Amino acid sequence: QGDPGTVDSTLETLMGEHFPGSRRNPRPILDRFGKINNESLRTSFLFVNRDSVKEAFKKFGPYKSAGPDGISPIMLQNLNDDAINRVVDLYKACLITGYTPSVWRHAEVTFIPKPRNSHEGPRDFRPITLSSFLLKGLERIVLWQLQQTTLRRYPLHKNQHAFRSGHSCDSALSNAL
């Protein structure tokens, strides 16, 4: 357990109390100054790499409107390898620390009137949301990883319609009939 009063022993005590039986990652993620350890960036979350980031950015329509951060897909699609490597490190740091940059958490919402409605109630409008493509890129890479690993071993229930390709509100309604 280490010397009493050290950061490691405090962490061990907290983990043992709140997550009994769990194992702590033997490679320290943060150094003693609270900065992310470069070794952790290199060896953690290997599915986040230059190829996966480029592929995620390539899947965006290049001329879609930028989110609140002002970054459009075409900008991300034209980053050089040094910039892509920085995005890889940023994505890994987000996954390691569990932190999403605050600028990525902002969204611009515009309400578009639905056709043939009275436009008197809130359900008469459809929200269109612009959010950060940097966040969408990370979400896409994590989704791909889940689809290739966990969701293959533990597929979603057949009655799950949200977040599934080829399923929608319409398929849920037709199953209910």
Side-chain angles (χ1 to χ4, degrees):
Q1 280 223 359
D3 297 331
T6 67
V7 172
D8 285 338
S9 68
T10 302
L11 181 57
E12 290 297 327
T13 302
L14 289 170
M15 291 296 290
E17 179 64 29
H18 295 283
F19 305 99
S22 69
R23 289 192 30 182
R24 193 170 147 221
N25 186 343
R27 295 170 298 173
I29 291 171
L30 303 178
D31 67 15
R32 63 189 181 111
F33 303 108
K35 293 186 179 173
I36 294 175
N37 172 319
N38 283 338
E39 179 71 13
S40 293
L41 280 178
R42 220 175 43 254
T43 59
S44 298
F45 299 102
L46 296 177
F47 63 91
V48 179
N49 54 56
R50 190 177 357 183
D51 291 337
S52 65
V53 170
K54 284 182 175 181
E55 185 65 21
F57 291 166
K58 187 171 84 172
K59 296 281 186 186
F60 296 132
Y63 301 108
K64 293 224 173 226
S65 296
D69 57 8
I71 299 173
S72 63
I74 198 161
M75 295 165 73
L76 297 173
Q77 292 165 350
N78 286 290
L79 293 175
N80 65 29
D81 283 344
D82 288 338
I84 292 287
N85 288 335
R86 289 185 182 264
V87 172
V88 168
D89 287 347
L90 181 60
Y91 281 179
K92 286 184 176 190
C94 289
L95 294 171
I96 287 169
T97 62
Y99 178 78
T100 303
S102 59
V103 69
W104 293 1
R105 291 182 264 145
H106 291 278
E108 292 175 4
V109 180
T110 302
F111 292 93
I112 308 293
K114 291 181 180 178
R116 296 181 296 277
N117 283 29
S118 64
H119 305 129
E120 293 175 6
R123 294 285 180 182
D124 295 335
F125 297 85
R126 175 176 289 115
I128 303 296
T129 305
L130 292 177
S131 57
S132 171
F133 280 97
L134 281 167
L135 177 60
K136 290 178 183 182
L138 177 57
E139 289 172 339
R140 181 168 281 167
I141 292 167
V142 170
L143 174 63
W144 289 340
Q145 177 66 12
L146 287 171
Q147 288 171 334
Q148 293 170 6
T149 57
T150 305
L151 292 175
R152 278 198 179 155
R153 285 191 307 264
Y154 308 103
L156 295 174
H157 191 276
K158 63 181 175 119
N159 291 333
Q160 169 71 36
H161 292 268
F163 308 108
R164 289 183 64 195
S165 180
H167 293 75
S168 65
C169 292
D170 293 336
S171 65
L173 287 172
S174 65
N175 271 10
L177 299 176

